[in-house]
Amino acid sequence: MQTSPAHVAHHNDREIETLEEFDATVSARGTLTGFRVQAVDLTDRTKELLASDTAGAVFLGCPMRENAAAKIRADGALVFPPLPGVPFDPYRGHLYTPDELFRTLDQGYEATPDAVAYDWFRRTRADGDVYASMLRSIHDDAVSDALDELLRGARVVGVMGGHAIARGTEEYGGAARLGRALARAGFTVATGGGPGAMEAANLGAYAAPYRDGMLDEACELLGKVPSFVPSVTDWARAAFEVRERWPKGNASVGIPTWFYGHEPPNAFASHIAKYFANATREDGLLARSNAGVVFLPGAAGTVQEVFDNATPNYYESRGEPTPMVLVDRAHWTQRLPAWPLLQALAHDRPMESRIALVDRIEEAPEALDRLSRVNET
């Protein structure tokens, strides 16, 4: 069963994010008044811009001829021009893809757009440059807008877990089977978008349309490069080799951050919402997991995510509590005893019937389904 979040993508009727949408709007309406045109190359649309009323329109990072820009400014439109020397588009209208972030991987990871953006982030953050921080904020807001458009109407399950789980391990294989089971059940899988358990869950979702044996073969191939240390280049190339061998994978979402830029994004999430601000990324990932979250064993970051998720469920600040499934009883009751605290918080509150602890990863999809049916009549 192939479940692509792209099938449910919609956006604000006043937003124009592709050249096709621009042409259709001009053809149907003859005016761009009040529209927001976002990161569309209008270099070859001078005639249309000169002929259309653009009063009150906003053009965000749209390349265009100078005479067209002068005319639409005179109309009263706001024009935010493309920014030279910035290694990303802060006005982008769509999420990233693995192919975009790793575009020049053949020259080594250090040459990729992902690595170049991380270098820019580290440099400008150290400078404390207000212009750079403003660009980061605009970028992250554009990414959030694109993510909302992509996921509108989707049933999203978040899979949280440690970045350190190596390819080729049983833990990695288990997280991959979980992602596959969730995708086959009709959910859109969302992860933190990085390596380890996150990559495994995105890989599992990718594998959903294929026969079961494909995932075992993919895990075996990936196991030859178990970690992104010491070479991100080799790690990423192994993933692209799997994608080339099985090119028609299912869609899923990764939500990584350049704040942890030393951890590369994984190539199995078809849509990548990469942020500069980690706090925006963390909250956005959990807030969009409207069908629940599965927490695999992890360390401090995963513990933080458990309680970041528990807080709105406790206060019901996002409405009805959403399911939370913790996997590995020994991990969550002994090594890092988050479960007893979660139980104590949930006691006598609506969220009490929406939390579960299971021993094995294979039990998580059934637990998620059971918790989601609690209030069904």
Side-chain angles (χ1 to χ4, degrees):
M1 180 184 297
Q2 190 156 349
T3 58
S4 169
H7 293 164
V8 294
H10 304 283
H11 61 74
N12 187 304
D13 287 342
R14 292 197 305 158
E15 289 180 12
I16 295 174
E17 296 173 349
T18 66
L19 204 53
E20 293 74 21
E21 289 177 357
F22 177 87
D23 290 341
T25 302
V26 169
S27 174
R29 296 172 179 262
T31 178
L32 291 165
T33 297
F35 278 85
R36 282 82 175 93
V37 190
Q38 193 174 348
V40 179
D41 188 342
L42 300 175
T43 310
D44 295 328
R45 293 298 184 273
T46 302
K47 184 177 73 171
E48 290 80 359
L49 289 170
L50 294 177
S52 300
D53 184 3
T54 57
V58 179
F59 294 83
L60 298 166
C62 299
M64 64 180 75
R65 306 282 182 201
E66 186 47 49
N67 60 330
K71 181 265 180 188
I72 65 179
R73 284 194 186 100
D75 279 352
L78 275 175
V79 180
F80 293 79
L83 299 166
V86 178
F88 59 91
D89 181 0
Y91 304 117
R92 60 180 302 116
H94 301 92
L95 298 183
Y96 294 97
T97 65
D99 291 328
E100 181 181 0
L101 288 175
F102 289 103
R103 188 174 62 238
T104 45
L105 186 63
D106 58 333
Q107 300 169 35
Y109 173 69
E110 294 71 22
T112 64
D114 185 64
V116 171
Y118 179 46
D119 285 343
W120 177 91
F121 173 51
R122 284 191 298 180
R123 189 174 65 253
T124 58
R125 187 174 54 162
D127 293 344
D129 182 352
V130 66
Y131 172 63
S133 65
M134 181 188 74
L135 294 182
R136 293 196 297 267
S137 297
I138 292 170
H139 168 274
D140 285 2
D141 195 63
V143 167
S144 288
D145 182 60
L147 186 58
D148 285 338
E149 290 167 3
L150 178 80
L151 294 178
R152 191 163 297 137
R155 293 189 302 152
V156 182
V157 173
V159 178
M160 311 295 162
H163 68 273
I165 292 176
R167 293 166 169 174
T169 62
E170 179 50 39
E171 292 86 355
Y172 186 96
R177 290 190 295 276
L178 172 65
R180 183 177 65 185
L182 293 171
R184 286 178 173 175
F187 295 108
T188 294
V189 173
T191 78
M198 296 173 278
E199 181 189 57
N202 287 126
L203 166 65
Y206 185 91
Y210 288 94
R211 58 182 177 78
D212 286 0
M214 170 267 176
L215 186 56
D216 298 330
E217 291 175 50
C219 285
E220 187 177 337
L221 288 170
L222 292 169
K224 295 172 183 173
V225 188
S227 173
F228 64 95
V229 178
S231 171
V232 175
T233 304
D234 292 346
W235 176 84
R237 279 181 178 154
F240 279 100
E241 284 168 17
V242 167
R243 285 185 34 177
E244 284 163 21
R245 182 164 173 181
W246 294 282
K248 297 184 183 302
N250 186 57
S252 68
V253 176
I255 307 182
T257 174
W258 278 294
F259 184 81
Y260 296 130
H262 60 285
E263 293 179 17
N266 78 71
F268 294 109
S270 54
H271 302 86
I272 300 176
K274 190 150 192 179
Y275 288 93
F276 288 105
N278 186 50
T280 306
R281 167 252 191 170
E282 289 274 8
D283 186 63
L285 173 53
L286 293 167
R288 289 172 178 84
S289 297
N290 56 13
V293 182
V294 178
F295 297 90
L296 302 175
T302 311
V303 172
Q304 178 183 341
E305 288 162 345
V306 169
F307 292 103
D308 280 348
N309 195 208
T311 301
N313 281 345
Y314 179 89
Y315 290 113
E316 299 182 62
S317 55
R318 292 184 188 136
E320 195 174 296
T322 51
M324 299 177 65
V325 179
L326 278 61
V327 177
D328 190 332
R329 189 174 301 274
H331 184 84
W332 294 117
T333 61
Q334 296 166 33
R335 285 190 287 277
L336 294 173
W339 175 250
L341 179 52
L342 186 62
Q343 274 189 309
L345 276 173
H347 183 62
D348 276 346
R349 300 186 77 87
M351 71 178 283
E352 186 171 26
S353 61
R354 297 300 179 94
I355 63 172
L357 175 66
V358 298
D359 288 308
R360 296 165 51 251
I361 211 163
E362 288 76 16
E363 300 171 70
E366 187 279 326
L368 197 65
D369 184 62
R370 175 168 43 82
L371 297 181
S372 69
R373 297 176 186 276
V374 165
N375 287 347
E376 289 185 4
T377 53

